[in-house]
Amino acid sequence: MNEPCIHGSCLCGTVTFEVRPPFQKMIHCHCSRCRKGTGTGHATNLTADPGQLRWLSGEAAITRYDLPTARSFGKWFCSRCGSPVPRLTRNGKIMVIPAGSLDTAPPIDPTDHIFWGSRASWGCPSGGLPTHDEYPASW
């Protein structure tokens, strides 16, 4: 049975999208790049295959920033309101979906904390989820 699509958007509503489950993971990333990119203690992202996401509106309003000093870190955001929106990894294999951009609750709960060793001292507790100092070897 197919699960219904999950919908999302940016703050101003210019960029809208839908993503078809299932999701691979829902992770909390505590690396300094994600903290800077979100302005929070960690980024919570879902991952899916690129073919599962469909832009409904505003794709032309998306700006992409690839951190030049990083092999794969990047950020896509709405050029009107600055909200993070889903992004394709540089190798084109994974769609990273900011959990905060979703308008519909996803059918998955967070699975892991990554880059736990570099988390902010004032960050949230693990909540019993597995913690990893970097990417787990199985990823």
Side-chain angles (χ1 to χ4, degrees), residues 50-69:
Q52 292 173 241
L53 186 125
R54 184 169 72 100
W55 299 108
L56 301 176
S57 68
E59 189 174 2
I62 296 172
T63 298
R64 178 178 184 149
Y65 173 75
D66 288 322
L67 186 64
T69 58

Side-chain angles (χ1 to χ4, degrees), residues 14-123:
T14 297
V15 178
T16 62
F17 62 91
E18 66 181 16
V19 60
R20 186 180 70 260
F23 296 99
Q24 299 161 341
K25 300 172 186 54
M26 183 177 191
I27 57 170
H28 299 302
C29 182
H30 297 267
C31 77
S32 61
R33 293 172 179 163
C34 281
R35 291 196 317 267
K36 293 278 185 184
T38 63
T40 62
H42 64 270
T44 302
N45 294 306
L46 298 99
T47 61
D49 289 324
Q52 292 173 241
L53 186 125
R54 184 169 72 100
W55 299 108
L56 301 176
S57 68
E59 189 174 2
I62 296 172
T63 298
R64 178 178 184 149
Y65 173 75
D66 288 322
L67 186 64
T69 58
R71 186 179 55 129
S72 65
F73 185 85
K75 180 176 175 154
W76 292 13
F77 55 95
C78 172
S79 61
R80 289 189 62 203
C81 67
S83 296
V85 297
R87 67 187 179 276
L88 187 61
T89 56
R90 287 189 205 179
N91 65 14
K93 294 181 180 178
I94 298 172
M95 186 61 73
V96 178
I97 303 150
S101 69
L102 298 177
D103 298 324
T104 316
I108 187 174
D109 290 324
T111 55
D112 297 86
H113 290 272
I114 60 173
F115 294 92
W116 185 251
S118 65
R119 72 188 181 283
S121 61
W122 46 263

